Amino acid sequence: MMVGVVVACSSVSSIKALWETRIRRRREEHEEEHKRRTTRGGATGRLGVGLWEDRAALARLKQKLETEDGRLVLRIEQEEWKVLPGCLIQLSQVQEWQIHRTGLLKIPHFISSFQNLLVLDLSRNGVAEIPKQIGKLTRLRELLLSYNRIPFVPAELSGCESLERLELAMNRDLNELPDQLGTLSRLQHVDLSMNDFSCLPACLLALPALEWLDMGGNCLHHLPEDIHRMEVLHTLWLQRNELEKLPENITRMRSLDTLVLSSNRLRDIPPLMEGMSSLRFVNFRDNPLTLDVTLPSRKAVAEEEEEEDDREMFGKEFMLMYIQEARKRAYAVLNVHCVNQSDGESNDESSA
């Protein structure tokens, strides 16, 4: 009887162990399946979130579209857009970007997809690089990147063959331009003010259509002797530099209408500038000129006050008077020298 009980108990224990093993295996399999489902669901969830974010960003960008003068313009002002999303490429028909004060850090490489782009205005951001892909924008007319952090301009920019206006003011470390830019035959307007240029970039002299140039607030020590190669230039801003003299050939710039030279280190004014008939506006204020010349006073009647202000501002009358005074003093010195020489000869004859 005891033997039967022992056998029965042993059978029950074996069956229990078998079922526990099966239950444990089923539980492990269930946990693994649940884990796999969770992993797949997470990836799908992340993908879904990415798609949702792209759709939201695209919808937000579409709200920034405007039509001005028949152009489709993307305008973003004073909103945080440090990086432009890839979904922007779906708006490649846009002809003008106006993105200011957004903290934008870079121009996306997919910029080359915007073949209809005519104006790219990203001034007052944090852009630190012009991508080489920008050279594929053959229809681009205006590239405005003032008040950014650009230290270098790629040679590929010369591929923008329709470029008419280039503004790179206040990028601080910018101090040179590639020679290849001299092939931009339509470039008329260049602003390089408040940078770190120590000389006029050679490519500027080769631009056949250049009419307006601002290089104020740089570190220019001299101007090129062949500056007259800029034949159609009518406006030249050179204020707040370190120029000590002007090249004689500046008088051969027949189209020059406006010349601003205030706050430099000029000691004299080239006499031949007297014959620059096209020069209308000139300013020599705050230069250590050798001669102290003052314009003759005029009667301060009310109707002449505006004219008096114009005389002071334009400075052409001052320039002409300075040249005349310099010529008078040169003649006076020459006469004194001639008199002294003549007296010396007379004394020699008397002694003989």
Side-chain angles (χ1 to χ4, degrees):
M1 186 71 180
M2 290 297 295
V3 174
V5 172
V6 171
V7 171
C9 289
S10 177
S11 299
V12 171
S13 297
S14 299
I15 292 170
K16 183 179 178 183
L18 180 62
W19 277 102
E20 286 178 348
T21 301
R22 288 178 177 176
I23 291 170
R24 186 170 60 253
R25 285 179 180 173
R26 290 293 300 275
R27 186 181 297 152
E28 290 174 353
E29 290 174 356
H30 178 74
E31 288 177 355
E32 289 178 4
E33 179 66 19
H34 178 70
K35 197 177 293 183
R36 282 196 297 270
R37 287 180 179 178
T38 302
T39 302
R40 282 200 305 269
T44 304
R46 285 194 298 273
L47 182 61
V49 170
L51 289 172
W52 181 86
E53 288 178 345
D54 281 349
R55 288 174 182 171
L58 185 60
R60 189 178 166 199
L61 287 169
K62 286 181 177 179
Q63 293 177 353
K64 307 297 181 183
L65 294 179
E66 303 174 359
T67 301
E68 294 182 7
D69 300 326
R71 290 184 188 176
L72 187 60
V73 179
L74 174 64
R75 186 181 302 279
I76 305 176
E77 305 274 355
Q78 298 183 356
E79 293 183 13
E80 186 171 327
W81 287 83
K82 291 185 177 180
V83 178
L84 294 173
C87 62
L88 178 58
I89 203 170
Q90 297 183 47
L91 303 178
S92 59
Q93 72 275 22
V94 170
Q95 297 170 288
E96 185 171 331
W97 287 17
Q98 293 286 344
I99 302 177
H100 309 138
R101 300 180 186 275
T102 66
L104 186 67
L105 298 176
K106 65 178 183 179
I107 302 172
H109 288 180
F110 59 75
I111 188 70
S112 57
S113 300
F114 288 78
Q115 289 298 306
N116 294 318
L117 201 60
L118 302 176
V119 177
L120 180 56
D121 186 352
L122 304 178
S123 52
R124 298 187 182 276
N125 283 292
V127 177
E129 180 187 6
I130 301 176
K132 296 179 179 180
Q133 290 82 353
I134 202 167
K136 297 180 180 179
L137 301 179
T138 56
R139 299 181 63 189
L140 188 67
R141 297 178 189 170
E142 298 184 15
L143 178 60
L144 312 179
L145 293 169
S146 295
Y147 293 86
N148 277 282
R149 300 175 183 175
I150 296 167
F152 174 76
V153 175
E156 285 77 6
L157 183 60
S158 61
C160 298
E161 57 190 34
S162 300
L163 198 63
E164 298 175 0
R165 189 182 188 99
L166 175 63
E167 294 190 358
L168 293 165
M170 197 64 176
N171 278 281
R172 294 189 179 276
D173 294 329
L174 186 63
N175 58 21
E176 61 180 354
L177 294 180
D179 291 342
Q180 290 86 341
L181 297 193
T183 62
L184 294 172
S185 60
R186 300 182 185 181
L187 189 54
Q188 302 173 8
H189 178 113
V190 177
D191 187 352
L192 299 173
S193 60
M194 295 178 287
N195 285 302
D196 198 31
F197 289 90
S198 59
C199 62
L200 204 73
C203 64
L204 297 180
L205 300 176
L207 295 172
L210 187 62
E211 297 179 351
W212 193 98
L213 174 62
D214 188 350
M215 292 203 69
N218 278 277
C219 306
L220 299 180
H221 295 281
H222 65 276
L223 297 176
E225 290 297 328
D226 55 348
I227 193 171
H228 61 287
R229 289 173 55 195
M230 296 191 285
E231 296 180 354
V232 298
L233 191 73
H234 61 68
T235 300
L236 180 57
W237 293 78
L238 296 169
Q239 73 283 1
R240 297 192 307 280
N241 277 286
E242 299 177 14
L243 298 172
E244 295 185 1
K245 61 176 293 187
L246 299 176
E248 291 291 341
N249 281 333
I250 198 170
T251 62
R252 297 171 62 185
M253 300 179 73
R254 303 304 180 193
S255 301
L256 197 60
D257 170 89
T258 299
L259 176 61
V260 182
L261 291 160
S262 54
S263 300
N264 274 278
R265 299 180 180 179
L266 296 173
R267 303 289 299 173
D268 281 301
I269 300 174
L272 291 178
M273 289 186 70
E274 187 177 34
M276 297 179 70
S277 57
S278 63
L279 197 59
R280 181 185 61 88
F281 182 107
V282 64
N283 195 326
F284 287 94
R285 188 190 300 272
D286 297 326
N287 278 280
L289 294 169
T290 303
L291 303 181
D292 185 12
V293 175
T294 303
L295 291 174
S297 60
R298 294 181 179 176
K299 293 182 179 180
V301 292
E303 46 279 15
E304 290 183 353
E305 287 181 0
E306 184 177 349
E307 183 181 355
E308 187 74 20
D309 291 340
D310 288 345
R311 290 176 67 220
E312 177 64 25
M313 181 176 66
F314 286 101
K316 184 172 181 179
E317 188 176 347
F318 168 84
M319 181 190 78
L320 296 176
M321 180 168 289
Y322 186 96
I323 293 172
Q324 292 170 7
E325 183 65 24
R327 187 178 291 121
K328 285 180 185 178
R329 297 195 185 190
Y331 286 150
V333 170
L334 183 60
N335 288 335
V336 169
H337 177 73
C338 290
V339 168
N340 290 336
Q341 189 175 11
S342 177
D343 290 344
E345 291 174 355
S346 299
N347 292 332
D348 290 340
E349 290 176 358
S350 298
S351 299

